[in-house]
Amino acid sequence: MAVGVGDAAPPFELEGFFEGERRPYSLSEFAGQPIVLVLYPGDDTPVCTRQLNSYTDDLGQFEEVGAQILAVSPQDLDSHEQFSCKHELGFPLLADTDKSLFDDYGALGPLGFPRRSVFVIDGEGVIRYAHRALAGVTFRKSDELVDAVRSATGG
């Protein structure tokens, strides 16, 4: 059964890339801070590129509510580094090459394809917002996610 609003967020530790550095990132590292966990199907694809660029453009809104964005896809760190540098993305890209995080968060579709999904996790590690795309090429807009963070943090 997939995790949902009110459930404890499944813990994770994944290698990531941000600002020229490769290092492990974990959910526990951000304890006390809200997380916007963005699961996306693929680096440098049209919709994913628009999605992550829009979040970078709106980074100030996420910072105002104290939220850390972490974006995760099944590609490896080499792919993430190239994608992040090309688009100057403003948050870490994490590599879930075995799709275990996608599986833990119920974001694998039929045949094991990753689903575009977003989760807002509060500072206590509880999921306060969950959206899993079923079809189409839409993604959740920054305003909706910032509102979800505000609601989760009472701010």
Side-chain angles (χ1 to χ4, degrees):
M1 182 169 204
V3 294
V5 173
D7 291 335
F12 60 83
E13 183 170 323
L14 296 171
E15 289 294 316
F17 176 83
F18 182 54
E19 295 183 327
E21 181 183 16
R22 294 178 179 208
R23 70 173 184 87
Y25 289 84
S26 66
L27 180 62
S28 62
E29 170 183 348
F30 298 97
Q33 178 180 14
I35 304 283
V36 177
L37 186 64
V38 179
L39 282 59
Y40 67 101
D43 290 341
D44 233 359
T45 59
V47 176
C48 295
T49 299
R50 281 197 312 273
Q51 177 183 19
L52 298 187
N53 278 327
S54 75
Y55 298 161
T56 294
D57 292 345
D58 297 334
L59 205 52
Q61 293 180 48
F62 291 99
E63 290 170 350
E64 283 178 18
V65 295
Q68 173 64 55
I69 299 173
L70 298 174
V72 183
S73 80
Q75 286 73 44
D76 64 20
L77 286 179
D78 289 339
S79 177
H80 284 346
E81 183 172 351
Q82 181 180 25
F83 181 46
S84 181
C85 291
K86 178 179 179 182
H87 295 283
E88 299 179 355
L89 298 175
F91 40 82
L93 302 183
L94 282 55
D96 185 26
T97 55
D98 67 359
K99 302 179 192 170
S100 59
L101 183 141
F102 276 84
D103 190 37
D104 289 347
Y105 280 79
L108 284 177
L111 307 174
F113 290 111
R115 269 191 198 155
R116 184 178 318 282
S117 305
V118 182
F119 300 87
V120 171
I121 303 167
D122 70 15
E124 303 299 315
V126 176
I127 297 171
R128 298 298 177 189
Y129 170 98
H131 180 270
R132 294 174 188 89
L134 296 177
V137 294
T138 61
F139 59 87
R140 307 327 299 163
K141 302 290 187 197
S142 297
D143 291 344
E144 179 179 335
L145 300 176
V146 169
D147 287 346
V149 172
R150 279 193 185 103
S151 178
T153 60

